[in-house]
Amino acid sequence: MASTSAGCRSCHLPIRDVVANQRTGRSRGNRRVLTRLWGVPIYGGILAWCLLQLPTATVFVVPAVVVGVVLHVLRGRPVLGALAFLVIVVVAPALFWPSIATDAFDGLTSRL
């Protein structure tokens, strides 16, 4: 093939298709990087808010933030990171509901 041909030598696609795919590839790469980087302030903000407002919940929030950061920022799975965060923060404490209810009931009856 001559150097002025309209096709790519390695993949045999028309040059306009190769150029179009390269442009979208760059924007997708930038979007993926931005999606990953947004995880840092999101999970950092959640952790800071928890430390200030609900310090007793840090037992569940700190591991959830670590899992969320690993999945969202390092692995590039933001939906899975958010889902794992919610499971750890919502479902794990719900497993302790009987003991929480017993403690609350005991606190109510001790005042009577």
Side-chain angles (χ1 to χ4, degrees), residues 7 16 20-21 24 26 30 34 37 48-49 51 54 82-83 85-86 89 91 93-95 101 103 112:
R16 67 177 162 256
N21 286 332
T24 59
R26 282 189 215 133
N30 291 341
L34 287 175
L37 290 179
W49 182 83
L51 290 173
L54 300 168
L83 184 65
F85 178 86
L86 287 174
V89 170
V91 175
L95 296 175
D103 187 42
L112 296 175

Side-chain angles (χ1 to χ4, degrees), residues 12-107:
H12 306 291
L13 289 174
I15 290 295
R16 67 177 162 256
D17 291 344
V18 173
V19 171
N21 286 332
Q22 287 177 344
R23 287 185 188 148
T24 59
R26 282 189 215 133
S27 65
R28 274 190 188 161
N30 291 341
R31 190 176 313 140
R32 287 180 183 160
V33 169
L34 287 175
T35 301
R36 285 182 171 203
L37 290 179
W38 269 107
V40 173
I42 289 171
Y43 289 109
I46 290 171
L47 181 61
W49 182 83
C50 176
L51 290 173
L52 292 173
Q53 298 295 324
L54 300 168
T56 57
T58 56
V59 174
F60 297 105
V61 174
V62 170
V65 165
V66 170
V67 169
V69 166
V70 167
L71 290 173
H72 187 138
V73 178
L74 300 179
R75 301 287 182 171
R77 306 279 185 206
V79 174
L80 187 60
L83 184 65
F85 178 86
L86 287 174
V87 165
I88 294 171
V89 170
V90 175
V91 175
L95 296 175
F96 295 103
W97 176 250
S99 65
I100 294 170
T102 303
D103 187 42
F105 182 73
D106 190 36

